[in-house]
Amino acid sequence: MKKRILFFLLLCSAVAFSQTTIMGKVTDVEGMPLPGASVIEKETSTGVVTDFNGNYEISVSSKEAVLLISFIGFETLEVKIESSNTIDVELKESAESLNEITIQGFSGIVGKSRRRTETIQTTPESVTAINSEGIENLGVNNVANFANLVPNLKLNASQAAGINTLTVRGIPQIRNSDAPVAFVIDGVTVPDPSLLNQELFDLALIEVVKGPQGALYGKNAIGGAINIYSKEPVNKSKYNLKLGAGNGGGGLAQFISSGAIKKDKIFYRASTQFTNFDGLLTNEYLNEKVDFSREFNARAQIIARITDNFKMTVAAQFMNTDAGAAYYSVNPTGNVWVEGEPGGYLDPDPKKGNNIISMDEPGKSNLQNLFTNLKLEYILNNVKIQSVTSYNHVDRSLSGDLDFTPFNDFTQGETADTKTFNQEIRFSNLNTDTQINWTAGGFYQNLEKDFFQDGLSRDFDLDELFYAVSADVTNTTSTFAAFGFVDYSISDKFTISVGLRYDNDTFKQVDHLSGETNERTNNIFQPKGSISFQATKDALIYANYGRGYRTGGYNPATTDRFNRDYEDELTNNYELGFKTSWWNNRFILNGSVFYTDYKNQQQYVFDLDTFYAGNYNYDESRIIGFEVDLKVRLFKYLDLLANYGFVDSEITEGGTTGGENGDATDLNIYNGNKTPYVPVDNFNIGLESSFPINETIDFNGSINLNNTGKTYWEENNVSEFTTSAYQLLDARASISFNNMTIALWGKNILDTQYYTEYVPGSIFGATDDYGWRGRPATYGATFSIDF
C-alpha cells in the first residue's frame, strides 16, 4: 500500500514536468514583507499572492517568462526570470499613492487554513485572521485576546498556568484533556493544550478556521484549527526593542534581531521577551497577591536557501512561566438573583455576593516548554516536498489549597510531564494554472505523558492529616496517519474539494498505583467535502461537510461517577456559508450557519468521595448555530469591526455513567438540557482609526467591546449554576515617529467583575461552590524603537 501511494505521488509530480517554479519574497525598500502582493506571469492568467511573510511560489511556462509584481500603494515591477529560480524583489512606494484622495478598501488578509496560501475571502471556510499590523494595532498578545475577536470562540484559563478551557462552536475543552482544535505554530502541530495561552509576540499572522479540520490537521481538530505564524528572518539587519509598564506591577522587556548571516542565502531571527505581573487579586487571609505571573520566552530561527529548489528552516523556543494557582472564591455569588429569567440567574457582581479569596495555602504553578523543529522544503518538477520534524517537551506543576478556606483541611498537588515527537511528510502541487490542486502526505507521532496528582486531607474524628495519591499514570499514544486533499475547479465559478485522513492510534496507560495496564487501538477515517460557487467577483457561497474526532482515554480509577475508560468523540458537521464585499472592498460581510451531530461528548468530574477525577460521556448531543463577521471602512481613517456568534448546544441522549458496584448514573435525566461550559452567544464591536498627524507622526487607536453570553456550568441547568452575560471593554492608542512608537493600552477598562469558571459543588460532592475571578482592569504603556 505504501509503495502505491509513493508511486501515485511521483506520478502526480510528473504532470507539470515542463513548467518552472519560481519562489522568493516581496518586500518594501526597508526590507519589510508585503503580504498579499500580486505576482502574475505576464500575458497569462497564472498568478498568486504573497503570504503573511511576503513569500510567494509560482509555476511559470518557461525561463523566458516575465513576472508582474504589484501591491496597493506601490509601483508595479516587471521582473525577467532568466536563470535563477529564486527572485526577491523590493517595491517602491508610489508617489501618486502618497497624495491619494480616493478611499481604499480593506486589503485582503492572506492565510493558510487549507495548508496553501489563499486570501481569506476566497477560502470556502469560516476563517478569521489578523496579520502583523492588526496584531500590533489591536494589542493581541495571546490566543485569549484573539478569541475575543472571533465569533463562537472562547478561551479561558483557570486553576494554574497551562490549564486552559477553549470552546469553539459549542464544543468545549474539559480539564486535563485535549483541546477541540489543532494548535499549529509555523506549520508544526503542537499537541499539548498547556501552551494555548502562552504570551505571543513577533507574529506575522494568527488565524482560526472553524468546523472539523481533521482531514488536513489530524486528530482533535474536531472544532477547527488555530494557526500561528511568527515573522521570518529578513535579508537586511533589523532590530527592535520594546519596554513597557502597567498597573499591578506589570512590566515588559522585548528584543528582536534579524538579518542575513550570508546575504541572500542564510538568514536568522532571534527574539526574547520577559513579562511580569505582580497581581491585583488579594488572598485576604495571607494578605498576598494571588494572580501573579512571570514569563520568559526566547525564540530563534534560521532559514538557509541551500539551492534554488531546496530550503531548510531550523527553529527552537524555550518558555518558563511562574504563576499563582488555586485561588478560587468560595460560594462566590452568594445566591444573588437577577430578575428577568425563569428562576433568575447568578449575578457576578462581588458587591452582591461573596467574592473573597481567603486560603491558608498560597497557590503556585510552573510551566516550562522546549519546542524545536526542522523543516525541509524541496521543489521537484513543480511539486513541493516538505519534511517537518519536531520535538516538544512540556513540564507543568501546581500546588495549593483544595478547600479554598483558611482551614487546614485539604491541599492539592499536580505534575504533568509531556514529551512529543512528530514527523510529517507532505507533498503538494505548485501548478497555479491547473484545474487540480492537491496535497497528500503521511504523519507519525509518539506522545508520552507522566501525570501525578496528590493531596492532603484531614480526618476530623482523629484530627490528623492524611496524604493520598489520587493519580500516578503514564499515558503513551502512537499515531500513524495518511491524508490527502484535492481541489477540482469544474469551471471558473465552481470548485469541489475532497479530503480524507486515516488515523491509526494506539493508546496505552500504565497505572503505577494499581500496576494495571490498559491498551486499545483506534482506526479512524476523517472525510471532508465542500463545494464553492464564486457567484460574482466579490461573492462566494460554499457548503461543507466534515467529520471530527477527538481521542478518548483512561481514568485513574473506576468509581460510581465514571468508568475506567471514556470514549472517543465523533462529530458530523454540516455548514453553509457566504463571503461578500461591496463598495470597492470598503464593506465586507461574511457568515455561516452550521449543524453538528455529536457522539460521546466528554465531561469532567472530580469525585470528592473517592478523591479521584475522571471523564465520562454523553451518548448523543447536537449543536445548531450561526455567526456573522462585518468590516466597514466608514471613512478614510475610521473602520467599524463587528461580529456575532450564537450556539444552541443540547444533550439529546445522556446515557449512563459509573461502574463501581454496578451503580450507574442515569444521564438521560439531562436530555434536552444545554451542555455545560458553552456560552450561548458572543459578540464583539470595535472602532479602529489610523491617520497621519503630520509628515512624520502617525496615530493609531482602537476600542473594542466584547460580550460573553450566559453560560451553564453543569447538566442540571438550574439557575444557581448559571452565570449571566458580561462585557469587557479594551482600548489602545499609539503614536509613531522616527521608527519609534509610544502606546497606551487598557484591558477591561471599566473594571467589570466576572467569572471565567464556576464550579458547582454538587457535581463533585462538596457543600460549597467555587468561582474563578476574571482579571480586573489592567492598563499600561509601551515604548518601542526599530533600528
Side-chain angles (χ1 to χ4, degrees):
M1 182 65 183
K2 293 180 180 178
K3 291 182 178 180
R4 292 180 181 177
I5 294 173
L6 179 60
F7 174 77
F8 170 75
L9 295 173
L10 293 175
L11 182 63
C12 291
S13 70
V15 171
F17 183 78
S18 61
Q19 292 193 319
T20 300
T21 297
I22 306 300
M23 68 182 75
K25 184 185 286 284
V26 180
T27 66
D28 62 16
V29 293
E30 298 296 327
M32 300 302 294
L34 295 178
S38 175
V39 182
I40 300 174
E41 182 181 357
K42 189 175 181 179
E43 299 179 351
T44 74
S45 59
T46 302
V48 298
V49 293
T50 56
D51 71 8
F52 33 83
N53 276 305
N55 299 311
Y56 72 92
E57 295 164 340
I58 184 171
S59 294
V60 297
S61 56
S62 70
K63 284 294 186 77
E64 285 72 42
V66 175
L67 297 181
L68 294 176
I69 304 174
S70 61
F71 189 70
I72 296 175
F74 288 77
E75 296 178 358
T76 299
L77 188 66
E78 290 193 14
V79 179
K80 294 182 179 180
I81 292 176
E82 298 177 343
S83 59
S84 177
N85 284 37
T86 301
I87 300 177
D88 295 335
V89 297
E90 293 182 352
L91 297 185
K92 295 181 180 179
E93 195 167 2
S94 169
E96 294 180 359
S97 70
L98 297 176
N99 300 315
E100 186 69 55
I101 298 177
T102 303
I103 301 175
Q104 298 288 346
F106 293 98
S107 59
I109 301 295
V110 177
K112 281 192 176 181
S113 59
R114 286 193 167 182
R115 299 284 198 179
R116 63 172 65 243
T117 301
E118 297 176 293
T119 61
I120 301 303
Q121 289 301 109
T122 61
T123 303
E125 302 275 5
S126 179
V127 183
T128 302
I130 52 176
N131 58 17
S132 59
E133 182 181 8
I135 292 169
E136 182 68 24
N137 292 343
L138 296 172
V140 174
N141 57 5
N142 55 44
V143 175
N145 295 154
F146 175 58
N148 288 338
L149 307 175
V150 181
N152 289 325
L153 181 68
K154 189 67 179 179
L155 175 64
N156 288 322
S158 62
Q159 190 176 5
I163 296 182
N164 307 301
T165 304
L166 186 144
T167 301
V168 56
R169 282 189 170 182
I171 302 177
Q173 174 186 356
I174 59 177
R175 190 179 300 277
N176 293 325
S177 72
D178 295 312
V181 297
F183 185 47
V184 183
I185 298 178
D186 291 334
V188 182
T189 302
V190 180
D192 197 311
S194 301
L195 305 179
L196 269 171
N197 208 30
Q198 62 182 284
E199 286 287 317
L200 301 176
F201 64 103
D202 197 26
L203 298 185
L205 179 84
I206 306 178
E207 71 171 348
V208 58
V209 52
K210 285 170 285 186
Q213 301 298 324
L216 281 172
Y217 294 92
K219 63 183 179 183
N220 300 329
I222 191 169
I226 296 176
N227 286 319
I228 295 175
Y229 288 90
S230 59
K231 291 182 179 179
E232 288 185 351
V234 294
N235 211 13
K236 295 184 177 181
S237 295
K238 295 286 183 180
Y239 307 94
N240 174 269
L241 174 66
K242 178 184 284 189
L243 302 173
N247 68 324
L252 166 71
Q254 180 187 114
F255 182 71
I256 301 167
S257 173
S258 183
I261 299 173
K262 183 177 181 180
K263 189 175 181 180
D264 299 329
K265 289 292 184 181
I266 305 176
F267 320 92
Y268 82 94
R269 192 175 192 95
S271 52
T272 184
Q273 177 177 275
F274 174 76
T275 60
N276 180 78
F277 182 64
D278 290 339
L280 292 171
L281 301 177
T282 303
N283 180 337
E284 302 293 342
Y285 181 75
L286 298 177
N287 194 28
E288 296 177 355
K289 299 298 181 185
V290 293
D291 58 327
F292 64 89
S293 65
R294 298 172 188 88
E295 181 171 310
F296 172 76
N297 199 316
R299 184 192 311 146
Q301 184 183 53
I302 295 177
I303 296 179
R305 290 177 176 172
I306 299 174
T307 68
D308 281 348
N309 294 333
F310 185 30
K311 183 172 75 171
M312 178 177 70
T313 303
V314 181
Q317 174 180 289
F318 174 76
M319 178 179 68
N320 183 74
T321 302
D322 292 302
Y327 49 89
Y328 287 89
S329 301
V330 179
N331 288 330
T333 56
N335 293 324
V336 176
W337 306 100
V338 174
E339 300 298 332
E341 291 282 327
Y345 57 89
L346 292 176
D347 191 324
D349 187 346
K351 297 178 182 178
K352 300 178 182 178
N354 176 18
N355 206 43
I356 295 175
I357 299 171
S358 183
M359 305 169 295
D360 61 299
E361 290 287 338
K364 297 180 180 179
S365 62
N366 176 259
L367 175 68
Q368 290 188 0
N369 170 236
L370 175 64
F371 176 48
T372 62
N373 64 81
L374 169 67
K375 291 189 288 185
L376 304 175
E377 295 185 4
Y378 183 70
I379 295 178
L380 174 65
N381 299 330
N382 298 311
V383 172
K384 180 192 285 188
I385 305 171
Q386 295 174 290
S387 169
V388 181
T389 308
S390 66
Y391 174 77
N392 190 53
H393 183 194
V394 179
D395 191 359
R396 178 174 61 83
S397 64
L398 75 90
S399 63
D401 215 329
L402 187 57
D403 57 278
F404 314 114
T405 69
F407 303 103
N408 189 17
D409 294 337
F410 303 101
T411 62
Q412 61 177 307
E414 182 177 295
T415 62
D417 190 353
T418 307
K419 303 179 183 70
T420 308
F421 173 80
N422 287 352
Q423 175 62 57
E424 183 172 354
I425 302 293
R426 191 181 309 147
F427 302 83
S428 57
N429 75 314
L430 296 175
N431 294 344
T432 51
D433 62 347
T434 183
Q435 285 183 287
I436 299 177
N437 288 309
W438 56 268
T439 298
F443 176 79
Y444 169 75
Q445 180 183 93
N446 184 74
L447 183 151
E448 179 179 312
K449 180 176 181 178
D450 294 314
F451 184 76
F452 181 86
Q453 197 172 56
D454 66 353
L456 285 173
S457 62
R458 177 181 293 278
D459 185 313
F460 291 97
D461 293 330
L462 301 177
D463 196 26
E464 294 180 355
L465 292 174
F466 292 90
Y467 174 74
V469 177
S470 56
D472 186 5
V473 298
T474 298
N475 296 311
T476 58
T477 305
S478 295
T479 299
F480 294 89
F483 58 88
F485 197 88
V486 179
D487 294 318
Y488 176 63
S489 299
I490 300 174
S491 67
D492 292 340
K493 293 183 178 294
F494 280 99
T495 300
I496 293 178
S497 302
V498 178
L500 180 65
R501 186 181 182 105
Y502 166 74
D503 278 271
N504 172 266
D505 295 316
T506 300
F507 307 97
K508 182 179 180 181
Q509 183 189 80
V510 177
D511 189 332
H512 303 292
L513 295 179
S514 67
E516 182 179 345
T517 298
N518 294 286
E519 184 173 348
R520 76 169 188 265
T521 298
N522 285 350
N523 294 286
I524 301 292
F525 287 94
Q526 296 181 79
K528 182 178 177 65
S530 73
I531 183 169
S532 61
F533 174 57
Q534 194 73 49
T536 68
K537 178 185 176 182
D538 299 318
L540 175 72
I541 302 171
Y542 63 90
N544 289 337
Y545 162 76
R547 190 184 195 203
Y549 158 57
R550 180 162 55 175
T551 59
Y554 294 98
N555 292 314
T558 300
T559 73
D560 290 340
R561 288 176 173 261
F562 47 78
N563 299 315
R564 188 59 188 250
D565 63 340
Y566 56 97
E567 301 297 322
D568 309 309
E569 294 180 332
L570 295 171
T571 64
N572 288 296
N573 183 82
Y574 308 87
E575 178 180 0
L576 180 65
F578 66 88
K579 296 187 175 183
T580 59
S581 61
W582 295 284
W583 201 11
N584 193 27
N585 286 333
R586 287 179 58 184
F587 186 101
I588 295 176
L589 178 65
N590 299 337
S592 63
V593 295
F594 53 89
Y595 175 84
T596 302
D597 279 324
Y598 204 162
K599 306 289 186 184
N600 301 326
Q601 181 175 355
Q602 298 166 6
Q603 287 297 315
Y604 168 90
V605 66
F606 179 79
D607 190 343
L608 197 62
D609 294 333
T610 61
F611 251 78
Y612 284 113
N615 300 330
Y616 58 93
N617 303 90
Y618 307 135
D619 287 349
E620 295 182 13
S621 51
R622 67 105 181 100
I623 302 169
I624 300 174
F626 70 89
E627 54 207 22
V628 290
D629 204 335
L630 173 69
K631 297 169 66 176
V632 184
R633 180 146 290 165
L634 300 172
F635 308 104
K636 185 175 182 179
Y637 302 122
L638 183 63
D639 296 339
L640 169 68
L641 310 174
N643 61 62
Y644 177 80
F646 170 82
V647 168
D648 181 16
S649 180
E650 181 180 298
I651 305 166
T652 55
E653 293 290 337
T656 58
T657 187
E660 187 174 335
N661 301 321
D663 296 328
T665 301
D666 182 11
L667 299 178
N668 285 310
I669 61 175
Y670 304 126
N671 292 354
N673 288 0
K674 307 303 180 185
T675 55
Y677 303 102
V678 178
V680 298
D681 65 356
N682 74 317
F683 70 77
N684 183 82
I685 184 168
L687 294 172
E688 183 178 349
S689 178
S690 296
F691 59 86
I693 297 176
N694 56 38
E695 292 183 356
T696 59
I697 302 177
D698 294 316
F699 170 84
N700 175 268
S702 65
I703 185 167
N704 284 277
L705 178 67
N706 177 260
N707 173 83
T708 298
K710 183 170 66 173
T711 305
Y712 299 92
W713 295 104
E714 57 92 59
E715 302 103 324
N716 274 319
N717 286 184
V718 293
S719 52
E720 60 261 37
F721 301 142
T722 304
T723 53
S724 58
Y726 62 88
Q727 296 78 41
L728 303 180
L729 186 65
D730 300 337
R732 186 181 184 276
S734 68
I735 56 172
S736 302
F737 57 95
N738 297 329
N739 296 325
M740 293 182 290
T741 300
I742 298 174
L744 301 175
W745 59 269
K747 296 184 183 297
N748 186 17
I749 57 179
L750 299 181
D751 200 24
T752 298
Q753 307 294 324
Y754 63 102
Y755 296 108
T756 62
E757 183 184 33
Y758 187 81
V759 186
S762 62
I763 70 173
F764 58 90
T767 57
D768 296 319
D769 309 323
Y770 305 99
W772 188 267
R773 291 180 59 180
R775 179 164 287 183
T778 55
Y779 46 84
T782 60
F783 168 79
S784 66
I785 180 170
D786 297 313
F787 55 95

